[in-house]
Amino acid sequence: MLGKLFKHEWKATWKLMVIMNAAVLVLSALGAVFFYRNSAVVKPLFDSLERTKDGDTLYMLACMGYFMLLVLSICVLAVGCTIYFYVRFYRNLYTDQGYLMHTLPVTEHQLIISKTFVCIIWRIISALVVLTGFLVLMSSVFSEDFRLMDIIKEINKAIFDMGMIKGMIFLIILILGMLGKAIFTTFTGYTCISIGQLASKNKVLAAIGVYFGMRVVMQMITTFGSQYLAIIGMMAPDMWFEMFENNENAMIVFFGIAVVVEYLICGAMYMITHSVMQKRLNLE
Amino acid sequence: MEPILRCRNLTKCYRPGHPVVSDLTLTLNSGRIIGLLGPNGSGKTTLIKMINGLLRPTSGEVYIDGFVPGPESRNVVSYLPERTYLEAQDTVSDIIGFFDDFYEDFDPDRAREMIASLKIDETARLKTLSKGTKEKVQLILVMSRNARLYILDEPIAGVDPAARDYIIRTIVGNHNPGSTVLICTHLISDIENILDEVVFLKNGHLVLYGTPAEIRDKYGCSVDKHFREVFAC
């Protein structure tokens, strides 16, 4: 049943997500052509433009307009993806459509997992699309100085300079951290929407209130934690050095702890969402 | 006859001390068409939601074909809520595919046949259909399952008399023989002649459970008239 839920969730969401991702890719590709000034096709065009003062202004305006459009499309993709899946979760499970979804022969776990899985896949795809677009654009703008292979080699070198095992651990923590962030963002919305359902009226408003409350608490914990570590580092640098020997070790340990905490919070949020759905469901 | 639904001391309070359904004990047998009748606020929809697992009882138990409300019980219950629960962007064909995927007892050919008999375009999106047509599509989907218990919440409310006749014909002509149909409605006169049993709810309490013939014999009037007397304002 989980496979069927996943199939229908994918079918219901792919069109809009493809359009949003395609918009970012097309804009990045257009920008790449636009800025690739050594190209035999584009160079004469810009040369003729820049011979006049008006040409310069026009070129600058076009650049600014383009970058604004690109940044806007990336923001729409990032924020839009998040909001779209939050709204879909709410509409599909807590409004009239919930009468169908909650009377399917499936468990609440399957409902939550299928929606989370599709949302996370689209988050990963969107992140890759933005990264690809950015790299294509950069390699075009700085065509002489920007070499993608050089950057990959540099990253590779930095990781392996840590040592084979340490480098691999760091890489794994990095990937888990990025995945954890996607799960965390998804569950934050799902949990707030579910907690909002406990209000007798104005459930959406209650969900928004819970969301901001949760953000403030998380921010306070993060700030307090990082400040606490910084103070220890400043006040007892010897102890710091004895504990970790070098900065790389400290980075791996603290980053690892942060990732574990992130997954624990995700687990707690999952349980809250499931509990509301199973025990406190009350569709209007 | 085997019971399909058993409720034992079922109570639901939204606020402490204010039960909407109160200590309800009820057993419904298979192979019957049963009217669940009562005025607004009598607890009919709350009871239906608890049977479907959309609400948790405050106390008491409910069993459907021996299962507590959950994925197993949903396999044997075909539920028509009073809301339109279908995605407006989907086509009629998409929704038939959806039901076919999730319900093993769903008969897509029967659904298509009924859709075609109403001259509804299968490729039409639901948002392009009228409210009445959407309700008919929803009823067709629910009645195309070979379920053991059909629960229909206000299936004939707010529709014209011709549509009402169509809905009643669809219910009577398509429910699985041997199954139970529980119809919740205010419009008793329209369905009185198809009911095998009636259940009266008042303020969350069961006040009457019997056959229409028993009610006519005992009170000397129709179920509809007796309803008006019991629930007179």
Side-chain angles (χ1 to χ4, degrees):
Chain A
M1 284 294 174
L2 188 60
K4 288 175 184 175
L5 282 171
F6 175 75
K7 182 183 101 177
H8 285 280
E9 187 65 14
W10 184 265
K11 211 171 139 187
T13 55
W14 75 271
K15 282 180 194 160
L16 186 70
M17 293 312 297
V18 163
I19 291 170
M20 286 203 285
N21 280 285
V24 172
L25 271 184
V26 167
L27 274 173
S28 302
L30 280 176
V33 172
F34 188 71
F35 289 110
Y36 194 61
R37 300 178 64 185
N38 292 323
S39 143
V41 182
V42 183
K43 194 170 183 291
L45 180 72
F46 287 130
D47 285 350
S48 63
L49 269 177
E50 283 176 1
R51 271 185 215 122
T52 64
K53 207 176 175 185
D54 287 348
D56 269 350
T57 315
L58 193 65
Y59 178 69
M60 289 306 292
L61 280 174
C63 287
M64 279 169 62
Y66 165 75
F67 272 111
M68 280 170 69
L69 203 60
L70 182 68
V71 169
L72 188 71
S73 72
I74 290 172
C75 290
V76 166
L77 181 61
V79 179
C81 173
T82 305
I83 293 176
Y84 174 63
F85 279 99
Y86 287 173
V87 170
R88 181 163 169 80
F89 180 84
Y90 167 71
R91 285 191 56 213
N92 209 216
L93 296 177
Y94 291 124
T95 62
D96 288 352
Q97 289 176 20
Y99 282 90
L100 176 61
M101 297 309 290
H102 290 290
T103 49
L104 293 175
V106 299
T107 63
E108 287 79 8
H109 285 298
Q110 289 170 326
L111 287 174
I112 301 170
I113 290 168
S114 62
K115 293 199 175 293
T116 307
F117 194 45
V118 172
C119 178
I120 287 168
I121 286 179
W122 275 115
R123 282 183 162 282
I124 293 170
I125 293 172
S126 302
L128 291 175
V129 162
V130 170
L131 184 69
T132 309
F134 177 76
L135 290 176
V136 167
L137 194 63
M138 285 300 108
S139 59
S140 156
V141 174
F142 307 107
S143 49
E144 293 300 318
D145 313 319
F146 187 91
R147 304 225 181 282
L148 185 58
M149 283 315 289
D150 291 346
I151 293 176
I152 292 171
K153 274 180 197 163
E154 280 298 314
I155 295 170
N156 213 20
K157 190 172 171 292
I159 288 172
F160 282 91
D161 277 353
M162 289 180 177
M164 184 70 175
I165 294 173
K166 221 188 276 180
M168 289 305 289
I169 291 171
F170 180 74
L171 204 61
I172 290 167
I173 292 175
L174 193 70
I175 292 167
L176 285 176
M178 285 194 285
L179 188 64
K181 183 69 187 160
I183 300 171
F184 183 86
T185 311
T186 306
F187 276 135
T188 304
Y190 289 0
T191 308
C192 294
I193 291 165
S194 299
I195 294 174
Q197 292 301 304
L198 302 178
S200 55
K201 49 189 173 182
N202 298 325
K203 294 180 178 190
V204 175
L205 212 59
I208 294 169
V210 173
Y211 180 81
F212 283 112
M214 211 186 244
R215 297 286 298 193
V216 169
V217 171
M218 297 282 183
Q219 194 63 47
M220 280 165 68
I221 293 170
T222 315
T223 310
F224 179 76
S226 56
Q227 294 295 321
Y228 182 71
L229 291 174
I231 290 167
I232 290 177
M234 278 192 297
M235 291 178 74
D238 294 342
M239 186 191 85
W240 199 256
F241 191 77
E242 271 174 33
M243 249 164 97
F244 300 112
E245 291 180 4
N246 57 43
N247 283 342
E248 287 160 6
N249 287 356
M251 191 172 68
I252 288 175
V253 169
F254 288 125
F255 200 18
I257 291 171
V259 170
V260 170
V261 170
E262 195 170 50
Y263 277 91
L264 286 176
I265 296 173
C266 286
M269 289 197 288
Y270 177 90
M271 284 194 286
I272 292 170
T273 306
H274 180 261
S275 172
V276 170
M277 224 176 259
Q278 196 186 39
K279 294 175 184 161
R280 305 290 300 273
L281 185 70
N282 185 12
L283 301 176
E284 294 285 326
Chain B
M1 255 182 291
E2 260 182 62
I4 183 71
L5 176 73
R6 277 190 297 127
C7 301
R8 196 183 304 151
N9 307 113
L10 200 61
T11 299
K12 179 66 192 179
C13 302
Y14 291 108
R15 284 184 298 145
H18 294 83
V20 179
V21 171
S22 182
D23 201 28
L24 183 80
T25 297
L26 176 70
T27 301
L28 301 182
N29 290 319
S30 298
R32 320 288 287 162
I33 298 180
I34 301 162
L36 179 62
L37 316 174
N40 293 331
S42 60
K44 303 184 301 289
T45 299
T46 300
L47 173 62
I48 284 176
K49 282 184 176 181
M50 285 193 284
I51 297 169
N52 281 293
L54 294 169
L55 267 183
R56 278 229 161 175
T58 306
S59 63
E61 294 161 338
V62 55
Y63 293 99
I64 305 103
D65 205 20
F67 300 110
V68 292
E72 294 87 2
S73 74
R74 290 171 199 147
N75 265 323
V76 296
V77 178
S78 190
Y79 170 49
L80 179 77
E82 52 182 334
R83 310 288 187 108
T84 304
Y85 59 26
L86 304 172
E87 174 81 67
Q89 290 293 332
D90 283 348
T91 64
V92 175
S93 176
D94 288 337
I95 291 160
I96 291 174
F98 186 90
F99 268 66
D100 196 23
D101 264 354
F102 286 101
Y103 298 111
E104 284 175 14
D105 58 8
F106 183 72
D107 182 347
D109 294 335
R110 198 202 302 177
R112 287 199 178 94
E113 206 175 288
M114 283 197 271
I115 294 281
S117 74
L118 285 175
K119 298 189 172 55
I120 299 170
D121 180 7
E122 255 192 62
T123 60
R125 290 193 189 279
L126 278 159
K127 65 179 178 185
T128 65
L129 303 179
S130 69
K131 186 174 174 277
T133 308
K134 268 188 265 191
E135 283 173 2
K136 281 177 196 153
V137 169
Q138 208 160 281
L139 176 76
I140 287 169
L141 293 167
V142 167
M143 297 313 297
S144 295
R145 285 184 60 192
N146 293 306
R148 295 214 55 210
L149 174 62
Y150 298 87
I151 300 178
L152 315 175
D153 196 358
E154 302 286 0
I156 51 173
V159 295
D160 62 74
R164 209 173 288 172
D165 287 346
Y166 172 81
I167 291 168
I168 293 170
R169 273 201 319 274
T170 306
I171 295 168
V172 175
N174 289 280
H175 76 278
N176 187 21
S179 66
T180 294
V181 184
L182 184 64
I183 306 173
C184 169
T185 184
H186 295 108
L187 303 164
I188 303 162
S189 57
D190 287 290
I191 61 157
E192 188 171 338
N193 57 350
I194 67 161
L195 296 179
D196 297 314
E197 290 171 1
V198 291
V199 174
F200 275 21
L201 281 188
K202 189 177 186 181
N203 299 327
H205 293 276
L206 178 70
V207 290
L208 192 151
Y209 177 34
T211 65
E214 284 169 354
I215 291 170
R216 278 193 287 269
D217 287 350
K218 192 170 176 184
Y219 301 102
C221 59
S222 67
V223 176
D224 186 37
K225 194 159 181 232
H226 185 58
F227 180 91
R228 288 166 201 267
E229 284 168 8
V230 171
F231 299 111
C233 299

